[in-house]
Amino acid sequence: EVCRRIKDDPETAFIPVVMVTALDRPEDKVQGIEAGADDFLTKPVRREELIARVRTALKMKDLHDRLQSAYKGVDRLNEHMMLALTSFEPLSFDRDAIEMDLAKRLLVPDERAPQALLIVSDEGNVGRMYRRRGGGEITRDELHLNPPSLKSVSPDEGEVRISNWWQEGKTLPEYQSRFPKEVFNLLKFVENFAAFRTGGTLVVAFNYAGDVSAFEAEVLKGLAIHTLVISTMSRQIQETERAFRYSVEALSRAAEENDEETWEHTIRVNEYARTLAEEIGMPSRFVEDIGFFAQMHDVGKIHVHPDILRKPGKLTPEEWEVMKSHTIAGAKILGEEPRLKMARNIALSHHEKWNGSGYPYGLKGEQIPMEGRITMMADVYDALRSKRPYKPAFPHEKAYKIIVEGDGRTTPDHFDPDIFEAFKRRADDFADIFERYKGEDE
Ligand SMILES: [Fe+2]
Ligand SMILES: [Fe+2]
């Protein structure tokens, strides 16, 4: 009856039971097995035999616990992978945050869990050590390692290495002297570790409570593979992103070739636009994007003949029509690609005016996309500060005065009132940006 109760309660079901009985009939044994007994001893009991049986039962229990704990470990890793992939944001990809999250799932306050995790990727010079501190918080330290010093812990590619100091026939101090100084200085003592290496990433978990076995190493292997998948993905995304940005910049350089405007002008427009977007409280993703895509505003000028672009005098009505078409041409060049949507909106609407007097469509107020309204403000300020075939460069004070008070060409009602106010508040930053990215002849 006692045995039945122990085995019925999930909390205690895995406690091994050795039944000592005076009965030796097969029916009694069957009854005992049905109650969940793991082993039998028949009276009279020999002490040595009892000890041996108990030892075996405890070993089984230990293996069971390790398996259970490894299973939970793998489960936590899978949960992490699922979250990492479902909330995957390629542009705000943060490898450190993902790694920290993985470390949190390995370094749990569990009796089988390790206390520290070292991840060394790529060339093996920089390692990140995660440690569980009192109170369950995880700290992260960057280690500069010298790759040969890792030899003593690193297994061959694709292999697992398990090490307990008492199995290595050395004293604890001898055992500890094999670890790189940087690692040892952080950990203060090491009594066991498990390591796995794959695809250039080495992961080492230190100081499992008691000892470390193949079960724990399997969990670590899972973690290493997750880390590899994530860092490979991250690297590829970054490469693609670099190539994308490079192409965008190449396109805007190509467009400037014919124009009187300069490379510095496009950089400055990016910076003013970023400043305005931030000042009116746009989301950070918008601020980042406009700070890069505002440079595309005049990409359509690639279709306008240099004689018109550089004409010192007044344009004829026909020439003016051609000039105005750079907005529509720009939108056409940028096409339908979703990543270029903001750039396309900017190219198309950066000459629209709040009061409806702009081009190409004469849009009014909020009909004009926000990115167009912001870039227009940025472009007007920079045009005033720059030398043009038809005007000299103005100093900041004069440009500011023209925008705020208006003159023949620009009036305050050209601007979205919120952006106009933001410009007034951040005018000093505009002046700084101009100074910082000044071209040679400005
Ligand atoms: Fe333009
Ligand atoms: Fe411009």
Side-chain angles (χ1 to χ4, degrees), residues 261 297-298 301 326-327 347 350-351 359 379:
E261 290 185 348
H297 63 281
D298 276 341
K301 283 191 179 168
H326 81 276
T327 49
H350 73 282
H351 288 287
Y359 66 86
D379 198 28

Side-chain angles (χ1 to χ4, degrees), residues 383-395:
L384 289 168
R385 296 296 313 271
S386 308
K387 194 159 92 39
R388 290 291 155 90
Y390 49 86
K391 68 170 264 301
F394 297 139

Side-chain angles (χ1 to χ4, degrees), residues 292-309:
F292 180 67
F293 288 123
Q295 66 177 305
M296 305 299 280
H297 63 281
D298 276 341
V299 71
K301 283 191 179 168
I302 211 163
H303 280 302
V304 180
H305 197 279
D307 292 349
I308 299 179
L309 289 174

